Amino acid sequence: MSVPARAPSGGPAGRGGSGLPGAARPPGGKRAATAGAARRTGRLRAARSGARTPALLAVPAAVTALFALLPMVYLAVRALEHGPGHAWDIVAADRTAQLLVRSLNLAGTVVCGSLLLGVSLAWLTERTALPAPRLWSVVATLPLAVPSYVMAFSWLSAFPDLAGFRGAAIALTLSCFPYVYLPVAAVLRGIDPAQEEAARSLGHNALSVFLRVTLPQLRPAAAGGALLVALYVVSDYGAVSLMRYDTFTRAIHTSYRGSFDRTPAAALSCVLVLITVLLVLAERRTRGRTRLDRPGRGTARPAERLPLGRLRLPAVGWCALVAAIAVAFPVGTLAYWIARGNSGTWQPGELIGTAWTTIGLAAAGAALTVLLALPVGVIAARHRTRTAHLLEQASFAGHALPGITVALAMVFLSVRYAYPLYQQWPLLVMAYAVLFLPLAVTAVRAAVAQAAPELEDMARSLGRGPLGALRDVTLPLAAPGVAAGAALTFVVIMKELPATLLLRPTGADTLATRLWTHTGVAAYAAAAPYALLLILIAAVPAYLLGRHRS
């Protein structure tokens, strides 16, 4: 029997080819193909993480950044209206230093409290054998539905001596800790359990696994949540006003309302902008260069839940305590005030109409905010360049400004350059987008960061363009996280107060403005139905966020 001659190494027969002489590839074809693929992959990676950001994303992201910086134009004009020397005298005054210390002290305390509550609840509900974990997950997100000024009113009406720093810190912590809980819980659900199992197989105990494997992956999410909490606190007006605790926002609001001279308030607002930049830089340094992406969508199997043993009862007690003081207590207080009132203090038809107005306005604001946040969030997740950092930081500028400052900036710009928008709903929706853009950017960035960039490279190597790879690969993977960001934005817009008070069309109201109007004249029984309905409506997306499992 004759044996066919063996084809030369690298020839078609050696690779299982046809063996026909005419089908033979030129010498070195394999190496050339491999080198070509490597160069193509290298170009793709360079395009993604190098110095250049695709124009397809950079242009809309730049538009978003300029839009978010609009209030800065107003601040610059107002702050320098009487010359730089006058503005500097205001910034360098002892009163400004006192406000700075008080604001940072309050923000630091609330951030620490939110991290304690958010991380502990996320760990208990996602990684331990806690009874009814889904129930506690939903309960942990429900405080998002309670406005900080409603939380402050509830505690102040029950404990009048709580006014001041302690009351403001308690009310803001109980309102803000879901900003930490949600991203940390999402990361705990997405961590590959094989990494922790490998660490245990190498002899590490549960604490060591948490500190050396889990915690480094939680750090970016916790830092992002802490940043949102800090920005919320330095820009909050309702809770600190009710608790009579002077911060930058309360001083700015008092200055705007008490004087026709806008320069002092504008100068103080500029200090708030500087605080925002420092907070964003601190969060970025804490986040580091940790990668959260993994190939594939979702884990192949859920992580093994740790038995609590003797800690089972204290763990349940901790969750029940947080639920009682953050959800049951404010709702119970409102129910008490409703019981004390009567049917003449409020009209059901008016209440329902106001609720529909609030829902429509919040939906429009959330849609515009997420649309503007998409290019910025994608660039922040995929391109670690100076341009990407600047675009992301610019989008955070408006969030630290008091709502009334953003509202006055919108009035200033609309009267001078777009008068048909003055005192119309679109102008208020635009103000919402400026104020809450960081919420959507953070959600988009986190969702895109968890989608493996190698999948985009693969799509590009198969002929997809940058837009096609983004549309067909990245956005479908990030869609659940983006939807969660939209729901979160919807909730916070429903609760917004200062900008709505100034920019809403004459005669139009939302639940928040009706609540504030009645509270301002001590008509607590009349305000309670609006507050309770606001909580009930906001509880729906908060409930969905709690059940979010993607």
Side-chain angles (χ1 to χ4, degrees):
M1 176 187 284
S2 62
V3 179
R6 188 176 181 180
S9 176
R15 295 190 301 270
S18 65
L20 297 175
R25 295 187 179 181
K30 181 178 181 180
R31 289 196 299 274
T34 303
R39 285 195 299 270
R40 188 162 54 249
T41 302
R43 286 196 299 269
L44 292 174
R45 291 183 181 279
R48 190 185 65 238
S49 58
R52 295 179 56 187
T53 302
L56 197 63
L57 293 173
V59 172
V63 172
T64 299
L66 292 175
F67 177 72
L69 290 173
L70 280 179
M72 301 302 168
V73 178
Y74 168 77
L75 287 180
V77 171
R78 288 300 189 190
L80 301 177
E81 197 170 22
H82 301 294
H86 183 62
W88 174 251
D89 290 340
I90 297 172
V91 172
D94 293 339
R95 174 64 173 164
T96 304
Q98 294 174 1
L99 292 173
L100 179 62
V101 172
R102 294 167 72 91
S103 298
L104 293 181
N105 190 21
L106 181 62
T109 303
V110 175
V111 165
C112 292
S114 298
L115 285 173
L116 173 64
L117 294 178
V119 175
S120 63
L121 290 176
W123 177 258
L124 288 173
T125 55
E126 299 296 335
R127 285 305 181 90
T128 68
L130 184 76
R134 288 206 169 194
L135 170 65
W136 296 118
S137 297
V138 173
V139 170
T141 58
L142 286 182
L144 282 176
V146 184
S148 59
Y149 45 85
V150 173
M151 188 74 76
F153 161 71
S154 303
W155 284 88
L156 193 62
S157 62
F159 307 101
D161 294 338
L162 209 59
F165 175 81
R166 289 184 304 159
I170 291 173
L172 288 169
T173 300
L174 295 178
S175 297
C176 293
F177 80 82
Y179 292 125
V180 176
Y181 169 81
L182 285 171
V184 172
V187 172
L188 283 173
R189 285 194 294 272
I191 292 178
D192 188 354
Q195 300 175 18
E196 298 175 352
E197 293 168 359
R200 292 193 195 97
S201 68
L202 294 175
H204 293 278
N205 57 27
L207 180 61
S208 177
V209 171
F210 176 77
L211 294 177
R212 304 186 66 171
V213 178
T214 309
L215 188 59
Q217 299 186 66
L218 295 182
R219 191 177 60 184
L227 173 64
L228 293 179
V229 172
L231 293 178
Y232 186 95
V233 173
V234 298
S235 63
D236 178 75
Y237 168 71
V240 295
S241 295
L242 287 177
M243 289 294 179
R244 298 186 292 279
Y245 183 74
D246 279 338
T247 59
F248 265 109
T249 53
R250 193 171 184 228
I252 291 170
H253 193 272
T254 303
S255 176
Y256 268 123
R257 293 296 186 187
S259 173
F260 289 104
D261 184 8
R262 307 302 191 197
T263 302
L268 293 178
S269 297
C270 290
V271 179
L272 272 185
V273 174
L274 178 61
I275 294 175
T276 301
V277 173
L278 295 177
L279 288 174
V280 172
L281 292 177
E283 184 267 346
R284 183 174 303 284
R285 193 174 184 83
T286 304
R287 188 196 318 164
R289 294 182 176 272
T290 304
R291 286 189 60 176
L292 298 176
D293 57 84
R294 52 185 165 75
R297 181 177 181 174
T299 54
R301 51 187 169 78
E304 182 181 355
R305 290 182 176 271
L306 299 176
L308 289 171
R310 290 179 297 179
L311 296 177
R312 182 185 179 92
L313 186 59
V316 174
W318 173 248
C319 295
L321 176 64
V322 176
I325 61 177
V327 180
F329 181 77
V331 173
T333 304
L334 295 175
Y336 166 78
W337 282 110
I338 291 177
R340 288 199 58 179
N342 54 62
S343 59
T345 56
W346 56 280
Q347 300 297 325
E350 187 178 82
L351 183 64
I352 294 174
T354 307
W356 277 116
T357 301
T358 305
I359 292 173
L361 200 55
L368 178 61
T369 306
V370 172
L371 183 64
L372 291 173
L374 275 174
V376 180
V378 172
I379 289 176
R382 287 289 189 260
H383 302 275
R384 295 177 177 178
T385 63
R386 182 172 298 177
T387 302
H389 294 169
L390 290 176
L391 291 173
E392 187 182 8
Q393 290 170 8
S395 69
F396 277 76
H399 193 58
L401 294 175
I404 190 170
T405 303
V406 174
L408 287 172
M410 290 296 174
V411 171
F412 174 80
L413 295 171
S414 63
V415 168
R416 295 201 176 194
Y417 308 108
Y419 188 76
L421 292 177
Y422 178 66
Q423 280 204 323
Q424 298 297 322
W425 291 119
L427 191 65
L428 182 55
V429 173
M430 292 168 63
Y432 288 151
V434 172
L435 284 168
F436 303 117
L437 194 56
L439 296 179
V441 169
T442 302
V444 172
R445 184 189 66 198
V448 173
Q450 288 193 324
E454 287 79 6
L455 298 178
E456 287 183 24
D457 293 344
M458 191 178 300
R460 297 285 302 278
S461 68
L462 293 175
R464 290 284 197 280
L467 180 60
L470 179 66
R471 182 192 60 225
D472 298 338
V473 177
T474 306
L475 291 184
L477 292 173
V482 175
L488 183 62
T489 308
F490 177 88
V491 172
V492 296
I493 288 178
M494 282 190 64
K495 301 184 296 183
E496 204 284 334
L497 184 63
T500 310
L501 284 172
L502 191 63
L503 293 177
R504 72 188 194 280
T506 303
D509 274 311
T510 65
L511 292 173
T513 58
R514 285 292 177 90
L515 163 66
W516 190 257
T517 301
H518 290 303
T519 305
V521 294
Y524 298 131
Y530 294 96
L532 190 59
L533 187 57
L534 179 60
I535 292 175
L536 291 176
I537 295 175
V540 175
Y543 170 79
L544 296 177
L545 284 171
R547 290 180 59 84
H548 180 60
R549 282 292 184 272
S550 299

